[in-house]
Amino acid sequence: MSLFAELRMRPAAEPAMSGRFVAKGWDASRTMRLALSGGTLFVLLVGANLATPLYPGLSQRLGLGSLGISIAFASYVVSLIAVLLVAGHWSDHIGRRAALTLAVVLGIAGVTVFAMAGSLLALCVGRALHGAAVALATGASSAALRELLPNRVGWASRFTLLSSSGGVALGPLVGGALAVGPVPTEVPFLACGVVLALLLAPLVLIKARPAIRPAVDTSRSRLLAPRGFGVGQRSARGAFWRAAAVGFLSFAVFGYFLSLAPGYLAATLGITSLPAIGALAGLVLAASAAVQLAGRGSAQRSPRTAGRIVRIGLALLGAGTLGAGWAASSGHAVLLVVAIVAAGVGQGMAFRELFDGLATAVAPERHAQAVSGLYVVTYLGSAVPVIGVGALAGAVGLPTASAVFTAGCAVAAGILAVFGAPRRATRAAGPVPESARTRLSSPCGRRRDPS
């Protein structure tokens, strides 16, 4: 089936199989399909975070303040949320290959616009295009990895986490390392555009599987219409809101480190190396990803043990965030690194535990809807608080705004540690398979139910 047939959702009738007939297309190995599925999302997420160490230079070149940088950063998150809600399920109908191809085309457009941007509006447009690309690739990539490893769901989950969290963590470091030459704010994005363009050829040539739901008796517009989301049974709502609250808080911390913190840290610590700035910004995400990759599922743990892990994680997240704010303002580089790592480790502990708890509590037929809602709340944490900090910085200065933000996050983490940890088991009727639990192991590893 050709790429255009997939996009039209009108797969051509299979020709009669006779003799040694071989369908057109590149019959790639499973290893190559795994690399393409995970690698596409990985490259897109690296590209989405290339700008982190470059924001100080962009601010000077375009005359943007803290609020402008916050708006440019948040435009990516807002677009990602919108496309997750509207088109996150499209790969179920047009096919994984077609969805990934669309994502790569949008990604190329996004990095090109951002590289050539001469105004805040252009920065926002580039970021929004890239957010749409990541949203389309998220569902398609994670679902493709699961289908390629049907009997090894744990490995599929780890590949998804490596592609998502690994790409986000590596992006700032790559952005700083490529910021060379007379146009340092353009080279990283043009390089990413070249890599994405190289991915188009194998995506177009590979022999793809048919779409899961080709349109036959149902109109394409109905199949591609936005889906609602909900938790379903009342017993699962507590697990949902605990995970959503911790997700919102932790992504607010991530958003701060990926947008406003690079310029602030560079000024207070006297850092001029862009790779060093990028490494500091991505360190919290790298620590979180490492913990989640190394951790094991919590399905067999008692509620008391799960609650203890969540409280320890939230305590580390709060203390690390507060410590990072104090270390940055006082110029203690070593303490800053320790505090950032502590915040990332704590986030990884608490977030994965609560995600597993939600998988246990939600009935299987409600998993996709619950996860959609959870991601909406979680990603909002990367947009709303960051814009607020940017606006506050315009009024009182970035050092004061950063101190207020880190202190507020520490207080919120303490409150959630007291009231947000699970206290008793809440399970959906019947056993929950491991495949259902692993869908929630990464905030970027989203997969919808076929239904």
Side-chain angles (χ1 to χ4, degrees):
M1 183 167 57
S2 70
L3 175 64
F4 292 107
E6 288 183 41
L7 291 172
R8 291 174 57 244
M9 297 172 60
R10 291 289 187 268
E14 292 291 336
M17 299 296 292
S18 61
R20 298 177 63 183
F21 173 81
V22 179
K24 293 182 178 180
W26 172 35
D27 191 12
S29 65
R30 184 172 68 168
T31 300
M32 180 57 67
R33 292 175 185 272
L34 286 169
L36 275 176
S37 300
T40 300
L41 179 61
F42 178 82
V43 174
L44 284 169
L45 283 167
V46 168
N49 294 278
L50 290 172
T52 296
L54 308 180
Y55 280 132
L58 288 169
S59 178
Q60 292 179 359
R61 180 165 68 87
L62 301 179
L64 303 177
S66 297
L67 180 58
I69 294 298
S70 300
I71 292 173
F73 177 83
S75 61
Y76 161 79
V77 181
V78 172
S79 173
L80 192 154
I81 292 171
V83 178
L84 275 178
L85 287 172
V86 173
H89 62 293
W90 281 12
S91 72
D92 286 346
H93 306 290
I94 66 174
R96 314 304 184 199
R97 186 263 300 264
L100 289 174
T101 303
L102 285 177
V104 168
V105 171
L106 285 172
I108 293 172
V111 295
T112 303
V113 171
F114 197 93
M116 303 302 179
S119 65
L120 175 60
L121 178 60
L123 290 180
C124 291
V125 171
R127 292 287 290 170
L129 287 170
H130 211 104
V134 171
L136 279 176
T138 294
S141 175
S142 58
L145 290 171
R146 287 291 310 283
E147 290 164 0
L148 290 167
L149 297 169
N151 299 319
R152 305 182 70 179
V153 291
W155 279 105
S157 176
R158 280 173 165 76
F159 281 139
T160 299
L161 178 58
L162 182 63
S163 300
S164 55
S165 297
V168 174
L170 191 61
L173 184 59
V174 173
L178 294 179
V180 295
V183 284
T185 57
E186 297 177 12
V187 171
F189 302 99
L190 295 178
C192 181
V194 170
V195 176
L196 287 172
L198 292 175
L199 284 172
L200 275 180
L203 284 173
V204 171
L205 294 175
I206 197 169
K207 181 166 51 175
R209 297 175 178 179
I212 292 178
R213 293 183 183 177
V216 179
D217 298 324
T218 307
S219 67
R220 284 174 286 180
S221 59
R222 182 175 180 181
L223 286 174
L224 300 182
R227 293 179 178 177
F229 61 83
V231 180
Q233 66 270 32
R234 183 175 300 177
S235 60
R237 293 174 188 173
F240 173 86
W241 286 113
R242 283 192 293 269
V246 172
F248 184 94
L249 172 62
S250 59
F251 270 58
V253 174
F254 290 169
Y256 167 75
F257 277 109
L258 292 174
S259 59
L260 296 174
Y264 178 50
L265 297 178
T268 58
L269 299 177
I271 301 175
T272 58
S273 169
L274 291 181
I277 296 173
L280 274 178
L283 187 58
V284 65
L285 285 149
S288 172
V291 169
Q292 294 188 60
L293 278 171
R296 303 178 67 88
S298 63
Q300 306 302 321
R301 293 194 185 112
S302 68
R304 178 177 296 180
T305 302
R308 185 182 302 114
I309 292 174
V310 170
R311 283 189 287 272
I312 293 173
L314 287 169
L316 282 173
L317 174 62
T321 304
L322 185 63
W326 182 84
S329 63
S330 59
H332 287 75
V334 175
L335 179 59
L336 176 65
V337 171
V338 173
I340 289 176
V341 171
V345 169
Q347 190 275 344
M349 292 172 60
F351 207 38
R352 173 155 185 166
E353 201 71 29
L354 290 171
F355 267 32
D356 285 347
L358 178 60
T360 303
V362 177
E365 65 272 14
R366 291 283 187 172
H367 282 158
Q369 290 180 317
V371 173
S372 298
L374 181 62
Y375 288 147
V376 169
V377 177
T378 297
Y379 281 119
L380 279 174
S382 291
V384 177
V386 172
I387 293 177
V389 176
L392 182 61
V396 301
L398 186 53
T400 302
S402 295
V404 171
F405 173 78
T406 52
C409 288
V411 171
I415 293 173
L416 288 174
V418 175
F419 299 104
R423 288 176 171 78
R424 65 176 183 273
T426 307
R427 295 185 177 272
V432 179
E434 183 186 0
S435 59
R437 296 193 300 270
T438 54
R439 281 199 293 267
L440 301 174
S441 62
S442 167
C444 295
R446 176 173 177 271
R447 178 175 189 260
R448 290 181 175 270
D449 289 335
S451 59

